[in-house]
């Protein structure tokens, strides 16, 4: 728990930071150019529904806890989820069990948000595993509204980094009170003094982001997700009978409020995720905002338009499902506050409302940050066309891109001339993932160099700005600073990396256009020993 004295010193001087804009004025800047990537098709079949229906869980919202796990890349979110699942009796088929997409397992990162539920002391915990990379921020934005609490995982050795700030902004925006989990405390370089220092840095970050007094009073736990334990007090080797996740699960029950929802009101659910199954069609996942839903109920889909609420489709709930552990099980009913999946509708998508047929009010949708990078996708017209894939025509490429935009709201697809499509996304990695997925699915296509997207506000041309944190060996500092200065980067802070002799950490701000294509140059300049983390700067 952050020290009371420290909290009292900083609570009166918090700076409010806007979380909606990461652009700044673009004056007298030249133009580098570069790529970015996103997009993922989630395989629903990776967690098939069991044949036998599970007993319907209690509809009492007071027994529910909806929690998101948020963190910077590689700070241990997915490993933590593995340990929580195992603690509650789930069968874990392999490490990082929540990473169900092949590219996630290959690259060691989380690309798509996923929901599962675990039972603990007569309570049901709906846990949401989220990506930590800013390029997949759309996955965080559209699921954080489903939960009432968050576990902020921070590496006790590295401390809060650029994308820690990025995901924390989203959580604080929705009024969540995060639980701080300092992970990897078993490392030799991590001491109690270092943990206190990281705790103070996180407290400063909360204060700078405009956290409320309640949010500033966050509980703190210490953990080693790799070893499978969490503790409310600092330790590097807890007793054998305490080497488990019990204290973290108890903290969730204590500090995360149950959902405020009415079972007596008509049924309404905002769709936050969508998957497609060969047999069941569209699988719509979301948090039940009010009422109770049963298998066989008549429902319809609604969406908000400029002319008012528009009815999309009317249908019947054919199946209700819920992810329990690593398996999808069938349920008979679900109540307000719960996170469930349903099948039976063919038209509604993410951001639409599913409700009883007598309800004609659509729930408010989630606001996403705008895209920053665009690329043009078209048919492969090179001399080697047709040798590497089976889907070659512009029509098939367009259908695939439109399907991606339907399940990933952070991507916009705009049809262009001559069977080409402008694809707008959040970053190089996001669009690169989309291109790689399409290649593996048998698509042949040509792509243009990426372009940074500008916007004009009150007559000023603005461009996206990113916060960059770099960790490199001391001998590479001069080379990296010179290279980034040519890309319009500005150094904000510089200092040694705690616990790593001979390593230096640089904090910079840089236009996105200056960073496109730089990662490979950075790896070459540092001989593979450097780390670079990026997130959009909120100003």
């Amino acid at each position: 728990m952050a020290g009371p004295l420290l909290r009292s010193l900083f609570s009166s001087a918090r700076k409010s930071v806007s979380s909606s804009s990461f652009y700044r004025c673009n004056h007298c800047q030249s133009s580098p150019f570069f790529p970015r990537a996103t997009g993922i098709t989630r395989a629903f079949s990776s967690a098939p529904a069991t044949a036998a229906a599970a007993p319907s869980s209690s509809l009492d919202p007071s027994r529910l806890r909806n929690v998101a796990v948020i963190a910077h890349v590689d700070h241990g979110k997915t490993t933590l989820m593995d340990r929580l699942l195992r603690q509650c009796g789930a069968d874990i088929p392999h490490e990082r069990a929540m990473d169900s997409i092949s590219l996630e397992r290959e690259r060691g990162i989380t690309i798509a948000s996923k929901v599962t539920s675990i039972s603990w002391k007569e309570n049901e915990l709906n846990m949401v595993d989220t990506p930590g990379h800013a390029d997949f921020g759309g996955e965080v934005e559209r699921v954080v509204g489903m939960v009432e609490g968050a576990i902020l995982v921070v590496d006790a050795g590295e401390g809060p980094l650029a994308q820690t700030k990025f995901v924390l902004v989203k959580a604080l925006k929705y009024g969540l009170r995060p639980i701080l989990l300092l992970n990897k405390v078993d490392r030799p370089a991590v001491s109690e003094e270092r943990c206190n220092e990281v705790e103070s840095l996180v407290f400063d970050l909360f204060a700078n982001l405009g956290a409320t007094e309640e949010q500033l009073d966050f509980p703190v736990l210490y953990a080693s997700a790799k070893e499978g334990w969490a503790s409310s007090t600092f330790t590097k080797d807890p007793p054998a009978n305490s080497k488990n996740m019990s204290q973290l699960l108890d903290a969730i029950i204590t500090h995360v409020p149950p959902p405020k929802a009415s079972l007596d009101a008509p049924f309404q659910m905002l769709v936050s995720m969508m998957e497609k199954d060969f047999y069941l069609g569209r699988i719509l996942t979301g948090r039940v905002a009010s009422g109770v839903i049963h298998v066989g109920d008549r429902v319809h889909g609604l969406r908000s338009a400029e002319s008012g609420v528009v009815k999309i489709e009317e249908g019947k709930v054919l199946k209700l499902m819920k992810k329990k552990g690593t398996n999808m099980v069938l349920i008979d009913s679900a109540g307000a506050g719960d996170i469930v999946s349903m099948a039976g509708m063919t038209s509604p998508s993410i951001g639409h409302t599913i409700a009883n047929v007598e309800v004609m009010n659509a729930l408010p949708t989630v606001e996403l940050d705008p895209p920053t990078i665009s690329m043009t996708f078209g048919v492969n017209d090179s001399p080697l066309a047709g040798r590497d894939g089976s889907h070659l025509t512009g029509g098939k490429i367009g259908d695939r891109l439109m399907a991606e935009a339907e399940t990933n709201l952070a991507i916009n697809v705009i049809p262009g001339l001559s069977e080409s499509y402008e694809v707008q996304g959040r970053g190089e990695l996001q669009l690169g993932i989309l291109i790689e997925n399409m290649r593996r699915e048998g698509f042949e296509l040509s792509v243009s160099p990426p372009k940074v997207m500008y916007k004009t506000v009150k007559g000023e041309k603005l461009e996206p700005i990113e916060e960059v944190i770099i960790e490199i060996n001391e001998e590479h500092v001069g080379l990296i600073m010179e290279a980034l200065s040519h890309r319009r980067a500005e150094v904000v802070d510089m200092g040694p990396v705690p616990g790593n002799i001979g390593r230096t950490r640089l904090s910079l701000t840089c236009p996105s256009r200056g960073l496109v294509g730089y990662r490979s140059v950075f790896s070459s300049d540092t001989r593979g020993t450097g780390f670079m983390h990026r997130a959009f700067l909120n100003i």
Side-chain angles (χ1 to χ4, degrees):
M1 194 72 72
L5 177 59
L6 185 61
R7 296 182 191 279
S8 63
L9 289 174
F10 280 87
S11 61
S12 61
R14 296 196 308 272
K15 293 181 288 184
S16 178
V17 179
S18 167
S19 63
S20 61
S21 172
F22 38 76
Y23 288 78
R24 80 175 174 206
C25 185
N26 171 36
H27 292 301
C28 58
Q29 289 155 350
S30 56
S31 57
F33 329 102
F34 343 77
R36 261 204 189 190
T38 289
I40 283 300
T41 302
R42 302 181 189 87
F44 183 82
S45 58
S46 62
T50 56
S56 177
S57 60
S58 170
L59 298 179
D60 183 7
S62 65
R63 297 175 58 186
L64 292 172
R65 299 294 188 275
N66 299 322
V67 187
V69 182
I70 59 176
H72 180 87
V73 174
D74 201 31
H75 277 197
K77 297 181 304 299
T78 307
T79 303
L80 176 67
M81 288 294 298
D82 282 355
R83 302 302 178 260
L84 291 175
L85 288 169
R86 185 172 287 132
Q87 175 79 36
C88 297
D91 181 25
I92 306 297
H94 52 78
E95 290 296 311
R96 295 189 292 116
M98 295 296 288
D99 286 347
S100 57
I101 304 169
S102 59
L103 275 175
E104 290 181 320
R105 293 192 291 270
E106 291 171 17
R107 299 195 178 201
I109 60 173
T110 300
I111 295 171
S113 294
K114 303 169 194 69
V115 180
T116 189
S117 66
I118 53 180
S119 298
W120 182 251
K121 295 183 177 179
E122 299 183 354
N123 293 282
E124 187 162 4
L125 280 58
N126 292 318
M127 308 293 297
V128 184
D129 186 21
T130 63
H133 200 288
D135 278 22
F136 308 113
E139 294 287 324
V140 181
E141 290 160 352
R142 61 188 174 86
V143 301
V144 75
M146 296 196 300
V147 300
E148 286 77 34
I151 301 173
L152 176 64
V153 183
V154 177
D155 188 316
E158 293 185 349
L161 297 178
Q163 289 156 27
T164 307
K165 177 180 178 181
F166 181 81
V167 295
L168 182 59
V169 164
K170 307 303 178 186
L172 296 180
K173 178 182 176 182
Y174 281 87
L176 305 183
R177 183 192 176 202
I179 297 171
L180 175 60
L181 184 73
L182 299 181
N183 193 24
K184 306 183 183 181
V185 298
D186 56 320
R187 289 184 171 180
V190 176
S191 62
E192 187 171 5
E193 291 75 18
R194 174 57 184 166
C195 287
N196 292 335
E197 181 182 346
V198 171
E199 187 180 326
S200 298
L201 292 172
V202 173
F203 181 81
D204 293 347
L205 182 59
F206 273 64
N208 292 336
L209 295 177
T212 64
E213 295 290 344
E214 183 182 10
Q215 289 171 329
L216 284 169
D217 189 26
F218 51 83
V220 181
L221 288 93
Y222 309 86
S224 170
K226 183 178 179 180
E227 299 294 331
W229 57 264
S231 172
S232 57
T233 58
F234 176 81
T235 179
K236 296 177 78 72
D237 186 22
N241 60 352
S242 299
K243 279 195 172 183
N244 53 50
M245 288 290 172
S246 299
Q247 295 192 46
L248 175 58
L249 291 165
D250 289 340
I252 293 174
I253 301 298
T254 303
H255 296 287
V256 176
K260 297 179 181 179
S262 172
L263 295 173
D264 300 325
F267 166 73
Q268 281 185 301
M269 182 183 84
L270 180 67
V271 180
S272 297
M273 302 180 186
M274 187 183 78
E275 300 165 296
K276 293 184 179 179
D277 182 77
F278 183 77
Y279 297 102
L280 300 177
R282 295 193 178 204
I283 309 296
L284 307 176
T285 302
R287 178 177 179 269
V288 181
S290 62
V292 179
I293 182 68
H294 301 84
V295 175
D297 285 357
R298 298 293 299 181
V299 294
H300 61 188
L302 305 171
R303 66 177 176 87
S304 298
E306 294 181 358
S307 58
V309 178
V310 177
K311 182 175 178 179
I312 304 171
E313 176 194 5
E314 183 173 333
K316 185 172 72 171
V317 179
L318 298 180
K319 289 185 182 296
L320 275 178
M321 292 160 284
K322 189 173 177 66
K323 191 78 173 286
K324 291 184 178 292
T326 56
N327 298 316
M328 189 71 75
V329 300
L330 303 178
I331 58 176
D332 298 321
S333 61
D338 207 355
I339 299 175
V340 295
S341 302
M342 60 169 289
M345 309 287 280
T346 60
S347 298
S349 185
I350 296 173
H352 296 163
T353 300
I354 308 298
N356 285 345
V357 290
E358 66 270 14
V359 176
M360 287 304 296
N361 296 323
L363 295 170
T365 57
V366 177
E367 293 184 8
L368 299 182
D369 288 338
T372 60
I373 295 287
S374 70
M375 298 176 68
T376 300
F377 286 46
V379 296
N380 181 12
D381 54 4
S382 75
L384 302 178
R387 298 190 182 185
D388 196 37
S390 56
H391 305 304
L392 313 176
T393 64
K396 286 191 174 182
I397 292 173
D399 291 343
R400 174 63 178 84
L401 292 174
M402 292 299 179
E404 182 66 34
E406 195 173 32
T407 58
N408 187 346
L409 296 188
I411 282 184
N412 297 333
V413 178
I414 303 173
L417 300 175
S418 183
E419 295 187 316
S420 65
Y421 302 85
E422 181 184 356
V423 181
Q424 301 172 348
R426 200 67 69 81
E428 292 173 76
L429 180 60
Q430 187 188 29
L431 294 181
I433 293 292
L434 172 59
I435 293 170
E436 175 61 16
N437 273 328
M438 293 181 67
R439 185 192 68 79
R440 296 187 180 193
E441 294 166 14
F443 285 87
E444 270 194 25
L445 63 154
S446 62
V447 294
S448 71
K451 299 180 297 183
V452 170
M453 298 179 63
Y454 299 87
K455 73 176 183 179
T456 302
V457 177
K458 296 180 180 179
E460 285 188 309
K461 189 177 182 181
L462 306 179
E463 70 170 340
I465 302 297
E466 298 191 38
E467 181 179 4
V468 187
I469 295 180
I470 290 175
E471 291 184 9
I472 50 178
N473 294 333
E474 289 179 352
E475 63 265 25
H476 300 138
V477 172
L479 179 62
I480 297 303
M481 290 185 67
E482 181 182 3
L484 286 171
S485 66
H486 292 310
R487 295 171 177 261
R488 298 290 190 265
E490 298 176 2
V491 178
V492 177
D493 191 19
M494 177 178 175
V497 178
N500 290 271
I501 299 175
R503 297 279 286 180
T504 299
R505 177 177 295 172
L506 301 173
S507 296
L508 313 98
T509 60
C510 185
S512 291
R513 62 187 175 88
L515 294 170
V516 177
Y518 177 65
R519 188 172 292 276
S520 59
V521 177
F522 174 79
S523 297
S524 177
D525 287 346
T526 61
R527 294 180 172 85
T529 62
F531 297 96
M532 181 171 66
H533 307 294
R534 298 162 50 183
F536 295 112
L537 178 67
N538 300 303
I539 60 173

